[in-house]
Amino acid sequence: MTETDLGSKPRATLATIPFNEVDKTLVADDHFLFLTLASASFVEILSEMYAGNLIQLFKEDKTLTKWLAECWQKEEVQHGTALKTYVQTVWPEFDWKTSFKAFYLQYSALCTIDQLEAHKSLELMARCVVETGTSSFYRALQHYVREPVLRQILALIKADEVMHYNHFRQYFSKYHAIEQHSVPALIMAIWRRLGGIQSQDAYIAFKHVHQGFYPHRQFVPADWTNYSLTVKRLARDHYPFAMAIKMLLKPIPLVTPIRKMVEWPLVGIAMLFTRA
């Protein structure tokens, strides 16, 4: 992997997104979509903080840190800015700035280098998990949405997230060749990050978006529970389960027959989870 390869993909910019053409009638009454987009904008923009932790962890790897600083970090923030602009275009009554400030104060206390995996290859595996989650999430959301401008935004973001996954997977392979963790250790790293996604990112962002949109109503855990049930229900029709399972399994050093043997049962289990 060369630095040229890492920076060769043309980058979409906000200038390519026609926010003035948004058809508000297709989305303005979709409360679920508002909560989802606003929460995602919070998390994406704060990727800049997480990038700083990764750069510190991999400070001796100049190629990786260059990509993190010049590509990954900037693109993640760009995603958040695009979602923020869309939210402000469709729901101008939402005080994005104030709600984000509250989210920042809570989440920044948790987003520290101490929260990273103890081994570099395991942290890169964890990053693959996150990029799997984001790319499949945006693919599902694109499938759900009918508003053309938003579909364009989501397609651009999803393409970037898949590219980020591929880069992290390649760097994982490099460090795994040195550290040589067992398959169970890799699976446990995946499991830890799957649990962390909900507790640290989505939940905290949702809470502050909800509080900002309903300033006169106290946020309660049931608000998150009800939202999560809606996510599960919509996932049955829109979530790319096979895509997500393939991406999660790909970095794990399994022989092809075993990979194929476990892939579809895992897809089935994931789909059953949405019916729980």
Side-chain angles (χ1 to χ4, degrees):
M1 186 191 307
T2 66
E3 292 181 13
T4 300
D5 293 331
L6 292 177
S8 61
K9 179 181 177 291
R11 306 303 180 195
T13 66
L14 288 177
T16 68
I17 301 172
F19 289 102
N20 61 316
E21 297 178 11
V22 173
D23 187 347
K24 298 180 183 180
T25 64
L26 296 176
V27 290
D29 294 332
D30 192 330
H31 183 60
F32 165 80
L33 187 61
F34 160 74
L35 291 169
T36 302
L37 295 177
S39 298
S41 72
F42 284 9
V43 175
E44 293 280 12
I45 285 179
L46 220 59
S47 294
E48 187 171 12
M49 181 180 297
Y50 202 105
N53 294 336
L54 289 176
I55 289 170
Q56 184 177 347
L57 177 66
F58 292 98
K59 58 186 176 183
E60 297 177 358
D61 189 330
K62 301 305 180 185
T63 302
L64 174 51
T65 55
K66 178 180 175 65
W67 175 72
L68 288 170
E70 297 182 5
C71 295
W72 183 74
Q73 172 181 294
K74 291 181 179 180
E75 289 170 12
E76 293 294 314
V77 173
Q78 184 186 64
H79 299 165
T81 303
L83 295 172
K84 169 188 174 182
T85 304
Y86 191 89
V87 167
Q88 292 178 321
T89 299
V90 179
W91 298 279
E93 68 275 18
F94 175 60
D95 187 349
W96 191 96
K97 183 177 180 180
T98 299
S99 296
F100 177 77
K101 182 178 180 180
F103 165 72
Y104 176 87
L105 289 174
Q106 181 176 1
Y107 185 66
S108 60
L110 301 174
C111 188
T112 66
I113 193 170
D114 294 335
Q115 301 301 311
L116 303 182
E117 291 285 341
H119 300 278
K120 292 179 179 179
S121 63
L122 295 184
E123 178 56 33
L124 290 166
M125 171 63 84
R127 291 313 312 168
C128 289
V129 173
V130 173
E131 300 298 341
T132 295
T134 54
S135 57
S136 55
F137 163 75
Y138 287 116
R139 175 64 185 87
L141 206 54
Q142 183 190 9
H143 191 265
Y144 166 76
V145 165
R146 290 295 171 262
E147 201 284 306
V149 176
L150 182 54
R151 284 179 61 85
Q152 178 185 348
I153 294 171
L154 296 172
L156 290 170
I157 296 177
K158 192 262 294 185
D160 275 349
E161 300 291 5
V162 171
M163 181 186 64
H164 297 165
Y165 166 86
N166 287 329
H167 284 311
F168 279 119
R169 184 170 60 83
Q170 291 179 56
Y171 283 119
F172 162 76
S173 297
K174 169 186 172 180
Y175 281 90
H176 180 62
I178 299 170
E179 297 180 352
Q180 291 291 317
H181 293 285
S182 66
V183 169
L186 297 177
I187 292 174
M188 286 305 300
I190 292 174
W191 184 255
R192 284 192 295 272
R193 189 49 53 100
L194 284 173
I197 289 173
Q198 185 184 58
S199 62
Q200 290 193 349
D201 292 7
Y203 178 80
I204 297 173
F206 175 86
K207 181 180 76 171
H208 290 288
V209 168
H210 197 280
Q211 286 181 333
F213 199 68
Y214 298 107
H216 303 298
R217 180 157 71 87
Q218 180 67 36
F219 172 82
V220 294
D223 294 319
W224 170 253
T225 299
N226 292 334
Y227 173 79
S228 299
L229 290 174
T230 301
V231 170
K232 285 185 178 183
R233 177 175 57 81
L234 293 175
R236 298 168 196 168
D237 295 324
H238 303 288
Y239 192 79
F241 292 99
M243 166 188 163
I245 293 299
K246 287 179 180 179
M247 291 176 73
L248 283 175
L249 290 177
K250 199 166 187 178
I252 302 175
L254 298 171
V255 294
T256 300
I258 293 179
R259 188 187 309 277
K260 290 184 177 296
M261 182 175 64
V262 302
E263 185 176 294
W264 285 107
L266 288 175
V267 170
I269 291 171
M271 293 178 70
L272 284 174
F273 175 74
T274 66
R275 289 166 170 77

